[in-house]
Amino acid sequence: YLDKKGDVYIYGKNDYYPENKFTKVNMGKNKFIDISVGVYSMLLLDESGKIWYIGYKNNSGINENNQYINEFVCLNDYEDNSLNNVKITKIFAGKTYSNSENYVIDDMGRVWNFGENMVCVSETENNIFSKLYLTNIKIIDISEKYILAENGKLYNMSTNTCLSDDSNNEIYGKKIVCIGITYDGVIAIDENGKLYVKGKHVGYAQSTDSFICLNDVPNSHIKDVKFEKVGVDGITSGGYSPIILSDMNGQLYGCLDGYSYVGRRMIGKITNNVQNFLAQPDSITINEFEATIPNYAEKYTYNIKFDKVVTSGYSSAAIDKEGRLWTWGSNSSNQTSNSSLGKVVIPTLVEFNEDIKIEDIVFSSNDTTVALDSKGRLWSWGRNGYYPTLGVGINDCDSYSKVCLSTL
C-alpha cells in the first residue's frame, strides 16, 4: 500500500514483516512514487528514480548468496550493477508464473529486464524492445508478454509482433489505453472505453484466438458501457482470475474468472446488494443479465425476484418469489434435475409433474438435492450411491426424476 505521503505499508509474512497487519516499511527519508507486486517479488520506485526490491533472489538481477531477499534492498546501489547511474521512471513486476521476470523503464525510454541477470533489452538486437526504442516509441505498460506503447498499439514480446496491426484482431486501428493480464488471456480498453478480450479467463463465454470487443458481441449486456480501468489477478493458478473494471462514471464491474459460462461468470455490474462479490458465483443478478450465447437466450427468463439461493461445490439453486425452483452448475448425477443437459450453464427452471411451490432447498456434498414444498412434502433427486442419501429405501441407484419422499 502506497499512501499520498510516499510511505509504503506491507501486509504479509516473512522474517521482517509480521503476519495479518499492515507494517510501515522503514526506509529512512526515502519517499516512494510507485509500487508493483509480482508473483515472486515486489518493486518500489522512490522519488530519486531508484528501485527497491524484495522477493526471490533469481528475479532480482543481483548476486546474492541467499535464495530469498527478505528485506527491501536498493538495486541501484549494488556494486558492478548496470543500474548504478540509471534513473528509473516506471516499474513492472512479473505477475504470472509463466513470466515472473521484472521490467523497468529508465528516463531515456530504455527497458531493463532482470531475472537472474540485469539486461538492457532495448540495446539488445532482434527484439521488440529494441525496435521500439530505435523508432522513439515510448512504452507505457508491460504485462506478462504484452507491451502497450504510447501510440496506443499493443505488442507481443514473445513473437515480436504488433497485434494492433493485425486486421484479424478487432483492436486493429484502435488506440489502446489500458491492459490487464488474466491466467491465460489479455484484456484491453481503447480510448473510447470499449472492452476487448483475447484468450481464456477474460470474462467471456468462450476462449478466443484473436481480440473481440465485448461491447459488440450479440446481446451484449455491456453494450453502452464505456470502461476506463482494468485490474486483474493474473497470478492465480488453475484459471481463477478475479477481474475488476471501472467505467468512466466510476461504476465497478467484475467477474470471478473467464471460464464465464452464461449465468455463472460473466462481466457485470457490481451493485450494493452484492456484499462479497468475489465469493459469489457471479456478480450479476438475473433481472439485470442478458444472455450472450444465442442458443441459450430463449431459455433465459428475465425480471425474476428471488427469496433464497444455495450452492454446493459444483451446483447452485435459487427459489423465486413465486415458489419456482431454478438450478445451474454441474449435473453429473442429475442434481440440477435437467437430465437432458450436461453442464447447466444458465439458471434453468425445474419442472414438477404437479403445481407446487418450493419453500426450501439443500444440496448434499454427495450430489443429492432435497427440496421442501409448501405442503410440507420432501422431494429428492440426484446421486444415491454407496451412502443412500436420496432416502428412497435403496442404494446404488441414482434418481434421474424427482421423487416425493412423503408419498413412499
Side-chain angles (χ1 to χ4, degrees):
Y1 171 70
L2 174 64
D3 70 15
K4 292 182 178 180
K5 297 178 181 178
D7 292 323
V8 172
Y9 296 80
I10 190 170
Y11 183 99
K13 181 182 179 181
N14 70 7
D15 294 340
Y16 291 89
Y17 301 102
E19 187 177 12
N20 296 330
K21 73 173 185 177
F22 278 104
T23 304
K24 184 178 178 180
V25 179
N26 186 8
M27 310 292 279
K29 295 182 179 180
N30 291 293
K31 296 297 179 182
F32 297 92
I33 58 176
D34 198 9
I35 58 176
S36 184
V37 181
V39 63
Y40 289 129
S41 58
M42 189 183 304
L43 303 178
L44 307 179
L45 178 63
D46 70 22
E47 56 190 358
S48 68
K50 291 185 176 183
I51 314 168
W52 297 75
Y53 180 92
I54 190 173
Y56 193 47
K57 181 206 64 167
N58 286 352
N59 294 87
S60 67
I62 59 176
N63 239 341
E64 273 286 326
N65 294 325
N66 297 324
Q67 184 177 4
Y68 299 99
I69 300 173
N70 288 328
E71 189 173 22
F72 280 102
V73 296
C74 180
L75 298 185
N76 302 70
D77 291 346
Y78 269 75
E79 293 183 7
D80 302 324
N81 191 317
S82 304
L83 291 179
N84 276 349
N85 298 308
V86 176
K87 183 177 181 180
I88 303 301
T89 58
K90 293 182 180 180
I91 52 176
F92 308 97
K95 288 182 166 55
T96 63
Y97 291 112
S98 60
N99 190 353
S100 60
E101 293 185 348
N102 301 299
Y103 292 88
V104 298
I105 302 176
D106 65 23
D107 57 353
M108 295 175 60
R110 297 176 301 179
V111 177
W112 297 75
N113 161 253
F114 46 99
E116 293 188 7
N117 300 300
M118 190 85 64
V119 179
C120 180
V121 289
S122 295
E123 296 178 346
T124 304
E125 295 182 359
N126 300 322
N127 66 63
I128 194 65
F129 294 105
S130 61
K131 292 179 182 179
L132 295 177
Y133 180 64
L134 291 173
T135 53
N136 293 317
I137 297 176
K138 293 183 178 180
I139 294 172
I140 61 174
D141 196 0
I142 302 172
S143 293
E144 216 249 344
K145 60 182 178 182
Y146 296 96
I147 304 166
L148 179 60
E150 194 175 48
N151 59 8
K153 290 189 176 185
L154 191 60
Y155 299 83
N156 186 320
M157 71 173 75
S158 299
T159 59
N160 288 330
T161 57
C162 178
L163 300 174
S164 299
D165 290 343
D166 182 358
S167 59
N168 294 319
N169 279 307
E170 292 192 18
I171 63 170
Y172 177 72
K174 304 294 191 300
K175 184 176 182 180
I176 303 302
V177 296
C178 184
I179 59 173
I181 304 300
T182 69
Y183 179 67
D184 195 18
V186 58
I187 299 174
I189 299 173
D190 73 9
E191 61 182 343
N192 296 314
K194 286 200 169 186
L195 184 66
Y196 301 85
V197 298
K198 176 181 180 291
K200 300 177 182 179
H201 319 121
V202 288
Y204 186 52
Q206 59 198 59
S207 63
T208 64
D209 294 327
S210 59
F211 279 98
I212 64 168
C213 179
L214 289 192
N215 302 76
D216 297 338
V217 297
N219 302 310
S220 173
H221 58 288
I222 55 172
K223 180 179 180 180
D224 299 320
V225 179
K226 293 183 177 181
F227 292 98
E228 186 176 34
K229 296 179 181 179
V230 57
V232 180
D233 174 15
I235 298 174
T236 312
S237 62
Y240 296 97
S241 301
I243 298 170
I244 298 286
L245 300 130
S246 63
D247 66 16
M248 294 183 179
N249 296 317
Q251 170 66 49
L252 291 181
Y253 293 75
C255 73
L256 177 60
D257 71 43
Y259 284 120
S260 301
Y261 296 113
V262 178
R264 180 170 171 232
R265 292 181 180 127
M266 297 298 295
I267 290 176
K269 185 184 295 184
I270 302 174
T271 55
N272 290 336
N273 62 348
V274 183
Q275 296 179 2
N276 188 5
F277 129 82
L278 288 180
Q280 305 297 321
D282 192 0
S283 65
I284 308 164
T285 59
I286 276 190
N287 50 313
E288 291 176 349
F289 184 78
E290 296 179 13
T292 60
I293 300 181
N295 293 341
Y296 288 117
E298 69 275 8
K299 300 178 183 178
Y300 207 85
T301 304
Y302 303 91
N303 299 318
I304 298 172
K305 304 297 182 182
F306 289 91
D307 278 332
K308 182 179 178 65
V309 61
V310 297
T311 186
S312 68
Y314 299 99
S315 306
S316 298
I319 302 172
D320 66 23
K321 290 186 178 294
E322 302 295 325
R324 296 176 298 182
L325 179 63
W326 301 76
T327 59
W328 63 97
S330 172
N331 198 36
S332 57
S333 300
N334 196 45
Q335 62 266 39
T336 61
S337 189
N338 291 285
S339 57
S340 63
L341 301 175
K343 189 179 294 178
V344 182
V345 298
I346 61 173
T348 304
L349 182 64
V350 176
E351 297 180 355
F352 290 81
N353 292 330
E354 56 182 285
D355 185 17
I356 65 172
K357 292 185 177 181
I358 299 298
E359 291 193 345
D360 205 357
I361 179 80
V362 294
F363 288 107
S364 78
S365 60
N366 204 36
D367 294 337
T368 305
T369 307
V370 180
L372 174 69
D373 70 19
S374 59
K375 296 180 182 180
R377 298 179 299 178
L378 287 177
W379 298 77
S380 69
W381 58 90
R383 187 178 180 186
N384 193 47
Y386 180 79
Y387 299 103
T389 50
L390 275 181
V392 295
I394 56 175
N395 65 333
D396 292 324
C397 179
D398 293 352
S399 174
Y400 288 91
S401 60
K402 292 167 285 297
V403 178
C404 181
L405 300 181
S406 301
T407 61
L408 293 180

